[in-house]
Amino acid sequence: GAVVSQHPSRVICKSGTSVKIECRSLDFQATTMFWYRQFPKQSLMLMATSNEGSKATYEQGVEKDKFLINHASLTLSTLTVTSAHPEDSSFYICSARSGTDYEQYFGPGTRLTVT
Amino acid sequence: AQSVAQPEDQVNVAEGNPLTVKCTYSVSGNPYLFWYVQYPNRGLQFLLKYITGDNLVKGSYGFEAEFNKSQTSFHLKKPSALVSDSALYFCAVSQTSSNSGYALNFGKGTSLLVTP
């Protein structure tokens, strides 16, 4: 089946620094990738949608200059949290879909803690 | 806007009993509906989807869901619950715009606890 990986699985960083999270589709080409954020005991909130080779589309309320998304290839998307603050601490989950399927395949998530 | 609602925060079931996790939807047009399961500190695992066709959809791990257009529901069911089914379950509906990439809108989630 389709597999999506995320790296790192956990990261702790100091306030003011930047963190990059990678999302890879391992056995299929992902024309579209999505980034979600999940707070404890809450649902997933869509942050942005990215299509390979074009700029990401951000959801209302998500700062595009703070959450930089790059989808440079059909198997890799990155989310960079710039100038991180403690309130950015969260579980970040990516997903990917190919052009032929409505189904999304999810990565295992990245736990970000900003101290 | 496409949305789903999960009215129950938690469902408790004894092992071996049937389980139901409820989901209702609100969409314009035909809905694309999904169920996912999440174990602690893990990503989401796909269970099943309804795009078109038979109203009864069979999925992974013995789960099934029934699409009911008149009641705008898509409840998740399993005939005999296992302790290992204890997890967080999300219902989701796909945005139907190709511009959105068919992003998913999730319900708030329902915590399922199966007791021995």
Side-chain angles (χ1 to χ4, degrees), chain A residues 34 38 43 101 104 108 111, chain B residues 36 38 41 43 49 101 104 107:
Chain A
F34 306 89
Q38 185 181 30
S43 188
D101 201 348
Q104 292 181 29
R111 174 75 59 193
Chain B
Y36 286 86
Q38 185 181 33
N41 296 311
K49 67 183 177 188
L104 294 177

Side-chain angles (χ1 to χ4, degrees), chain B residues 34-95:
Chain B
F34 302 80
W35 275 102
Y36 286 86
V37 61
Q38 185 181 33
Y39 294 95
N41 296 311
R42 301 288 298 277
L44 272 64
Q45 296 179 29
F46 170 78
L47 287 177
L48 49 81
K49 67 183 177 188
Y50 172 83
I51 303 297
T52 187
D54 289 342
N55 290 341
L56 184 63
V57 180
K58 293 189 182 296
S60 306
Y61 314 119
F63 285 93
E64 59 187 29
E66 185 170 9
F67 172 68
N68 188 316
K69 189 171 184 178
S70 63
Q71 297 184 9
T72 62
S73 66
F74 189 57
H75 301 331
L76 180 71
K77 300 182 179 184
K78 187 174 183 179
S80 178
L82 300 173
V83 172
S84 58
D85 292 330
S86 299
L88 191 56
Y89 290 81
F90 289 100
C91 180
V93 62
S94 174
Q95 298 179 22

Side-chain angles (χ1 to χ4, degrees), chain A residues 54-69:
Chain A
S54 54
K55 289 183 179 180
T57 301
Y58 289 82
E59 295 298 297
Q60 192 172 8
V62 178
E63 299 175 58
K64 62 181 180 181
D65 294 331
K66 181 169 185 62
F67 298 100
L68 300 179
I69 292 172

Side-chain angles (χ1 to χ4, degrees), chain A residues 10 32 34 36 38 41-46 49 51 57 59 91 93 97 101-109 111, chain B residues 32 34 36 38 41-46 49 51 88 90 94-95 98-109:
Chain A
R10 290 177 177 269
T32 306
F34 306 89
Y36 296 85
Q38 185 181 30
K41 299 183 187 263
Q42 292 189 28
S43 188
L44 282 73
M45 301 299 296
L46 179 67
T49 301
N51 293 300
T57 301
E59 295 298 297
F91 195 50
I93 305 175
R97 58 175 289 269
D101 201 348
Y102 295 110
E103 181 178 331
Q104 292 181 29
Y105 304 96
F106 284 80
R111 174 75 59 193
Chain B
Y32 302 155
F34 302 80
Y36 286 86
Q38 185 181 33
N41 296 311
R42 301 288 298 277
L44 272 64
Q45 296 179 29
F46 170 78
K49 67 183 177 188
I51 303 297
L88 191 56
F90 289 100
S94 174
Q95 298 179 22
S98 60
N99 291 335
S100 75
Y102 300 102
L104 294 177
N105 293 336
F106 285 88
K108 65 179 181 177

